[in-house]
C-alpha cells in the first residue's frame, strides 16, 4: 500500500512527500493539488493533468483548469468550456459547459449561457437546463428556485415538491429545511421536511440549515442556535456565527471569536480576531495578522506564526474556507505557500 502523499514545495517547484517528509514524487511541477481518489492534479507548462501515486501522468496535462476527482469524475476545462474526465483518461462528458460542479452521489450542477441544471454521471440532464437557481444538490435532492417558486426535486425518482415560501436554506441535514413565510408583520422562518410537511413552526425572525443537529437562528442581527425539536439552546445574542462542525460552533461576541458546544457551554474562550470551523480536529485561529490552528480543547497545536493578508481579508471573506482537508492545510509563508499536516509538520523548503 502506498503511504499517504502530501504536496511538497521545494523553492518554486512542487512534488509529493510521505508523512516523514521524504520526497517520493520529485519536485518537477509548477503547481499540485492534494490526492483525491488516488489522483492528484499537477501543472506542467501552464496546463493541468492528473498523476497517480507512482507519479505517472494518467490524465495528460492538456487542460486549462480542473477540479478534484469525486465519484470517479473530475471537471476539466478545454477551450474555455468544462466537461468531465474519468481516471482512465476518457472524456466521458464533453466540454460544453460554462460551469461544472463537483459530483455528489452521482449528480452535479452545470451551466450553459446562464441556464442552470443538474446532470448525472452519464451527462443526462436530470434537472433540465433553464432559468433555475440551484441552491444546493445534497443527498440526491436538488433545491432550486425557478418561476418565482422554490422546489425540491428527488433526482432519482424525479418527484417534485413545489414550495410556496419566500426563502429557503438547507444545511447538510436535508430532513429539516429552513423556509420563510410572509405574515402581516413580516417574514418568519420555520422548518419543513423534503415532502413539504411543516416540522418546526414559524417562530424565528431568520433561520438557517441544520448541521450536526443544530441550526443557527437570527433575531435583530444577533445569532443563537436551536436543536432539531426547534428548542432554543442559545438565545440570539451573538454578533456572528458559523455552522456546527465536529461538535462545536464558532460564535462572535463583540469583536472576538470563540466556540460553544451543542449544549451552549463555552468550550473555547472568545479571544480570537477570527476562527474557522473544525476539520480533522483542527480549527484556524487568527490574532492580528498571524494565524495558526487549535484543537477541540482550545490548545494551540500549530503555532500562530503564519501570515494573513489582513487588508485582503477585509475585502474578501476567504478565511472561512481556511481549514484542514484530508489531513493537510495550505498555509502562507510570506509570499509563498506550502502544506502542513495536523501536527504542524511543514512540507516545504526554500
Amino acid at each position: 500500500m502506498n503511504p499517504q502523499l502530501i504536496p511538497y514545495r521545494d523553492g518554486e517547484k512542487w512534488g509529493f512527500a510521505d508523512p516523514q517528509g521524504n520526497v517520493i514524487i520529485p519536485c518537477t511541477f509548477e503547481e499540485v493539488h492534494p490526492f483525491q481518489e488516488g489522483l492528484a492534479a499537477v501543472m506542467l507548462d501552464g496546463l493541468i493533468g492528473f498523476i497517480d501515486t507512482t507519479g505517472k501522468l494518467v490524465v495528460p496535462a492538456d487542460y486549462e483548469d480542473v477540479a478534484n476527482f469525486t465519484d470517479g469524475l473530475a471537471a476539466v476545462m478545454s477551450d474555455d468550456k468544462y466537461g468531465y474526465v474519468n481516471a482512465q483518461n476518457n472524456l466521458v462528458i464533453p466540454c460544453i459547459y460554462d460551469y461544472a460542479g463537483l459530483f455528489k452521489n452521482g449528480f452535479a450542477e452545470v451551466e450553459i449561457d446562464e441556464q442552470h441544471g443538474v446532470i448525472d454521471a452519464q451527462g443526462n440532464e436530470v434537472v433540465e437546463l433553464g432559468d433555475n437557481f440551484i441552491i444546493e444538490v445534497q443527498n440526491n435532492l436538488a433545491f432550486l428556485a425557478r418561476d418565482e417558486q422554490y422546489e425540491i426535486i428527488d433526482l432519482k425518482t424525479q418527484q417534485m415538491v413545489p414550495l410556496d415560501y419566500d426563502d429557503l436554506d438547507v444545511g447538510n441535514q436535508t430532513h429539516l429545511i429552513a423556509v420563510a413565510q410572509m405574515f402581516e408583520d413580516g417574514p418568519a422562518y420555520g422548518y419543513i421536511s423534503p415532502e413539504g410537511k411543516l416540522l418546526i413552526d414559524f417562530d424565528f425572525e431568520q433561520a438557517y440549515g441544520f448541521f450536526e443537529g443544530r441550526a443557527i437562528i437570527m433575531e435583530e442581527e444577533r445569532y443563537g442556535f436551536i436543536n432539531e425539536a426547534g428548542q432554543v439552546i442559545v438565545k440570539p445574542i451573538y454578533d456572528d456565527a458559523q455552522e456546527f462542525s465536529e461538535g462545536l460552533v464558532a460564535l462572535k461576541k463583540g469583536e472576538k471569536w470563540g466556540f460553544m458546544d451543542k449544549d451552549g457551554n463555552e468550550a473555547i474562550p472568545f479571544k480570537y480576531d477570527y476562527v474557522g470551523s473544525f476539520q480533522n480536529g483542527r480549527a484556524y485561529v487568527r490574532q492580528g495578522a498571524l494565524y495558526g490552528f487549535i484543537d477541540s480543547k482550545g490548545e494551540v497545536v500549530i503555532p500562530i506564526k503564519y501570515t494573513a493578508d489582513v487588508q485582503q481579508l477585509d475585502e474578501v471573506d476567504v478565511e472561512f474556507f481556511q481549514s484542514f482537508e484530508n489531513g493537510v492545510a495550505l498555509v502562507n509563508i510570506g509570499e509563498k505557500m506550502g502544506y502542513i499536516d495536523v501536527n504542524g509538520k511543514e512540507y516545504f523548503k526554500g
Side-chain angles (χ1 to χ4, degrees), residues 266-283:
E266 182 178 306
I268 297 170
F270 291 81
K271 63 180 183 179
Y272 296 105
D273 295 322
Y274 195 83
V275 300
S277 296
F278 274 90
Q279 281 189 276
N280 296 157
R282 302 289 184 264

Side-chain angles (χ1 to χ4, degrees), residues 29-61:
F29 303 105
E30 295 154 28
E31 289 183 17
V32 301
H33 289 184
F35 276 90
Q36 186 82 10
E37 297 189 358
L39 298 174
V42 297
M43 178 180 284
L44 288 167
D45 297 325
L47 294 174
I48 310 170
F50 290 88
I51 60 170
D52 64 17
T53 54
T54 70
K56 179 183 177 182
L57 198 65
V58 294
V59 176

Side-chain angles (χ1 to χ4, degrees), residues 301-315:
V301 289
I302 298 174
I304 299 174
K305 66 175 185 177
Y306 298 106
T307 309
D309 186 335
V310 176
Q311 182 178 353
Q312 181 191 27
L313 297 179
D314 287 340
E315 297 171 357

Side-chain angles (χ1 to χ4, degrees), residues 21-192:
N22 303 305
V23 175
I24 304 300
I25 298 175
C27 296
T28 59
F29 303 105
E30 295 154 28
E31 289 183 17
V32 301
H33 289 184
F35 276 90
Q36 186 82 10
E37 297 189 358
L39 298 174
V42 297
M43 178 180 284
L44 288 167
D45 297 325
L47 294 174
I48 310 170
F50 290 88
I51 60 170
D52 64 17
T53 54
T54 70
K56 179 183 177 182
L57 198 65
V58 294
V59 176
D62 294 335
Y63 298 103
E64 300 146 29
D65 189 22
V66 305
N68 286 334
F69 271 86
T70 58
D71 287 1
L73 296 173
V76 294
M77 176 190 274
S78 179
D79 294 329
D80 292 327
K81 297 291 183 181
Y82 285 97
Y84 292 88
V85 68
N86 65 16
Q88 292 73 46
N89 189 31
N90 299 311
L91 190 66
V92 294
I93 299 174
C95 294
I96 60 173
Y97 301 104
D98 298 319
Y99 168 80
L102 296 175
F103 269 91
K104 301 177 184 177
N105 299 321
F107 301 103
E109 179 187 352
V110 292
E111 175 190 346
I112 298 178
D113 294 333
E114 299 184 357
Q115 302 284 294
H116 297 261
V118 178
I119 61 171
D120 64 17
Q122 289 73 48
N124 303 309
E125 291 183 16
V126 290
V127 174
E128 187 176 349
L129 286 161
D131 294 326
N132 308 308
F133 177 71
I134 309 293
I135 298 168
E136 182 65 78
V137 176
Q138 190 86 259
N139 297 336
N140 298 325
L141 298 173
F143 301 84
L144 64 151
R146 62 178 169 187
D147 299 328
E148 298 183 358
Q149 177 178 277
Y150 292 97
E151 296 177 0
I152 302 174
I153 299 177
D154 186 313
L155 297 172
K156 288 188 175 293
T157 67
Q158 290 296 296
Q159 182 177 355
M160 187 268 288
V161 177
L163 303 174
D164 187 20
Y165 295 110
D166 294 285
D167 194 14
L168 183 152
D169 192 78
V170 62
N172 64 5
Q173 294 178 238
T174 53
H175 65 285
L176 284 165
I177 302 150
V179 291
Q181 185 165 302
M182 190 63 66
F183 295 90
E184 288 185 5
D185 54 353
Y189 283 73
Y191 290 84
I192 62 170

